[in-house]
Structures are given as C-alpha cells and as structure tokens.
Amino acid sequence: MRTPLISPFRRVSPASIRTQPHQPGDNLRGALLMCFSMVGFTCNDTVMKFVTQDMPLYQAMTLRGLAVMVGIMILAQREGGLRLQVPRTDRVAMAFRIVGELGSTVLFLNALQNMAIGDLSAVMQSLPLVVMLSAALLFGEKLGWRRMSAVAIGLIGVVIILRPGTGTFGIWSLVALAAVALVAMRDLVTRTVGRGVSSITIAFYTAMTVTLMGFLASLWQGWVMPGISQILLLMLGGAFLTLGYMTAVAAMRIGEISYVAPFRYVSLIVAIAAGLLVFHEWPDIWTWTGAALVVGAGIYSIWREAQLKGE
C-alpha cells in the first residue's frame, strides 16, 4: 500500500516535524522532493537573471511576486483557506523573518544580475555552515572541534571562490556575502516561530511583503512595457519559486533531515548547468575548488550531526 504524502502545509505537533514513524521509502521520497525544490529555486533564479537583462529588477520582482501570491492562494484553498492571523507571541519573530527575507531577496537578486549564476550559487552553499556557526554563537548549541574545522574549511572555500585582492572580488562579492548573512538570520528566526503558524501563512506574508517592496522600489526605478514572452517567463519563475517552497517543506516533513539535507547541493549542479546553457558561463578552477570545499564541509557537518544524534 502506498504511503500517503504529507501535505507541506499541514500543521504539526511542537514535539516533532512528523507525527508518525518513518516508513520504508520515506527518505528516498524526501530526497527526491528536495531535488525538485533545488531545481525549482535555481530555475527561478535563472529566469530572473535572464528577464532582468531587459527589464528593471524591481518591476520583475513585482510581477513575479504577484504570480507567487496567486499560486499560494490557490494552494491555500486546497488546504481549507488562507489563515492570516498570527499569534501575538509570534509577531516579533515574523517581523524579523520578513526583514531577513526582504533584505536577502534584494541583495541576492542584485548580485545575481552582476555575477555568474554558478559563482553566486557556490557562495550560497555556505549557508548551512553559517547557520550552524550562528546557532552555536546565539543559541549555545555545542560544536565539537570536527564540525568547527568543517566550518573553517567551508569558509576558506568561500574565500577561494571570491578571491579577495584580485579583480574577481568586488562590490557584488560583498553583496552576495551579505545575502548569505541575512538568509542565515531569516532561518534562525524561523526556528522561534511557533508551530501554530502554518508554512503557507509564512509563505504568503513573505511573498506579499517582497512584492510590495518591489512595487515601491519600482516606482523609483521605473517600468518598461513588458513583452508577452517576459510575462510568461515571470509567471514560469513564480511557478518555479512556489514549487521550491512547497517541496522544500514537504521534503523535511517526509524524510530524515540528516538524509535529505545533503541533496540541497543539487542546486549548485543545476546553477552551473544553467550558467553554461543559458548564459555561456563556465566556472574557473578556483570556483570548482572552493565549491568542492564548501560542499564537502557541509556534507561532513550534516553527517557528523547525524552520528552524534545516534550516539
């Protein structure tokens, strides 16, 4: 008998992400969903980088955001309607999360316009390591010397990718690093949001505020008359982004985190392929070397955490 898929927006108990033990095949399904998620996010990035070659960035953000909001509302109807009420105890955390999402989105998309998509994706792979280090500093989570060494190696990989002091390193490298920091803040704050706030509620508020911010900024930057192809591409990007959100949540609820999380690095492969096929960008040897260090350190950290939980 087939195991039913868990809805990515179902409310769950505070004690666990899952309410039932893992079933045979859950990890494989979770890994597959995580791969779909990373493909969705990276395809959205590719669409945005392509469209913003001829369209102002904030106009593109606004139009894509409208598509995402429509998609979320359609999904919400399947789950019994959109619930916008946020408990008073979670409002401060939600506000900080939205600030992190807004800042990281603006910085990431500006960097995406000015960096090779493969190079930017390689820098973003340091996120799990930054989150782990930040959790240790802010929440007192213990890190042994092995995982601290992995963090150090991963950050060295980022330095190799960006190469400070060379012509490769510039303002957009700093923008990319700032985006990583804000995404890490967003993810850490998300941990403090109560389980009573559904994932689809968080996604809707995020999409709404990013769209509103994009619209306000577009009034300053200006608009151009979009072509049919650009509108269709932005709708496609919105669909990819919605797919990414939905499958990422489902992946973490179906599979074991230690098994599923390493498949996040699929995004780097997709980004490099998209850079080559769409933008004719090919990473140099330094980017390959740095990315290998970042990904290797991240996978080791996840594996080590799984080992410690099993002891």
Side-chain angles (χ1 to χ4, degrees):
M1 184 175 67
R2 291 181 62 187
T3 303
L5 287 179
I6 295 177
S7 166
F9 304 118
R10 180 178 298 172
R11 291 189 181 188
V12 292
S13 63
S16 174
I17 291 179
R18 289 180 58 93
T19 56
Q20 297 178 352
H22 288 282
Q23 301 297 320
D26 278 357
N27 280 341
L28 184 59
R29 281 189 286 272
L32 185 61
L33 284 167
M34 181 57 74
C35 290
F36 277 125
S37 175
M38 295 301 102
V39 170
F41 284 135
T42 309
C43 287
N44 162 69
D45 296 340
T46 304
V47 168
M48 290 297 288
K49 184 176 177 65
F50 183 83
V51 170
T52 54
Q53 291 177 338
D54 301 307
M55 178 184 289
L57 172 62
Y58 297 111
Q59 177 185 352
M61 282 178 59
T62 303
L63 296 176
R64 183 196 65 174
L66 291 173
V68 173
M69 289 175 65
V70 170
I72 290 174
M73 287 189 287
I74 292 172
L75 291 172
Q77 291 305 310
R78 297 181 58 188
E79 300 295 323
L82 187 62
R83 295 179 290 272
L84 296 179
Q85 186 175 2
V86 176
R88 186 180 300 273
T89 53
D90 292 318
R91 290 176 186 174
V92 173
M94 280 287 290
F96 275 101
R97 189 192 185 282
I98 288 172
V99 169
E101 186 74 50
L102 284 173
S104 61
T105 299
V106 171
L107 294 176
F108 177 84
L109 290 177
N110 275 280
L112 184 63
Q113 279 191 300
N114 296 277
M115 291 179 66
I117 190 172
D119 290 355
L120 179 57
S121 180
V123 173
M124 297 302 294
Q125 303 312 309
S126 65
L127 179 61
L129 299 172
V130 174
V131 170
M132 185 171 63
L133 180 60
S134 300
L137 296 174
L138 298 176
F139 298 122
E141 295 188 3
K142 294 183 179 180
L143 289 181
W145 68 269
R146 292 180 180 86
R147 286 192 290 171
M148 284 297 297
S149 299
V151 171
I153 291 172
L155 295 181
I156 289 172
V158 173
V159 172
I160 291 175
I161 295 168
L162 297 179
R163 297 187 290 273
T166 68
T168 303
F169 188 83
I171 183 63
W172 300 115
S173 300
L174 295 175
V175 170
L177 292 175
V180 171
L182 284 173
V183 173
M185 184 193 85
R186 180 204 67 189
D187 289 351
L188 290 170
V189 171
T190 301
R191 296 175 54 170
T192 68
V193 177
R195 296 288 188 179
V197 183
S198 69
S199 299
I200 200 165
T201 300
I202 295 174
F204 180 80
Y205 275 117
T206 299
M208 181 180 68
T209 52
V210 169
T211 303
L212 178 60
M213 188 277 299
F215 174 71
L216 294 176
S218 72
L219 297 178
W220 161 76
Q221 191 179 40
W223 282 56
V224 299
M225 179 61 70
I228 297 297
S229 61
Q230 292 174 317
I231 293 176
L232 292 176
L233 281 173
L234 288 171
M235 291 176 63
L236 180 63
F240 278 132
L241 190 57
T242 304
L243 170 69
Y245 283 137
M246 190 172 72
T247 51
V249 175
M252 297 310 245
R253 291 185 171 183
I254 290 175
E256 295 175 283
I257 293 177
S258 60
Y259 185 95
V260 171
F263 289 88
R264 290 181 181 275
Y265 296 111
V266 168
S267 63
L268 180 59
I269 300 173
V270 179
I272 290 173
L276 177 62
L277 296 175
V278 180
F279 306 107
H280 307 293
E281 301 167 346
W282 183 252
D284 58 23
I285 187 62
W286 296 107
T287 299
W288 282 112
T289 302
L293 289 176
V294 172
V295 172
I299 292 176
Y300 174 80
S301 298
I302 295 167
W303 173 82
R304 181 59 183 167
E305 184 169 347
Q307 291 292 106
L308 292 175
K309 287 181 179 179
E311 291 178 358

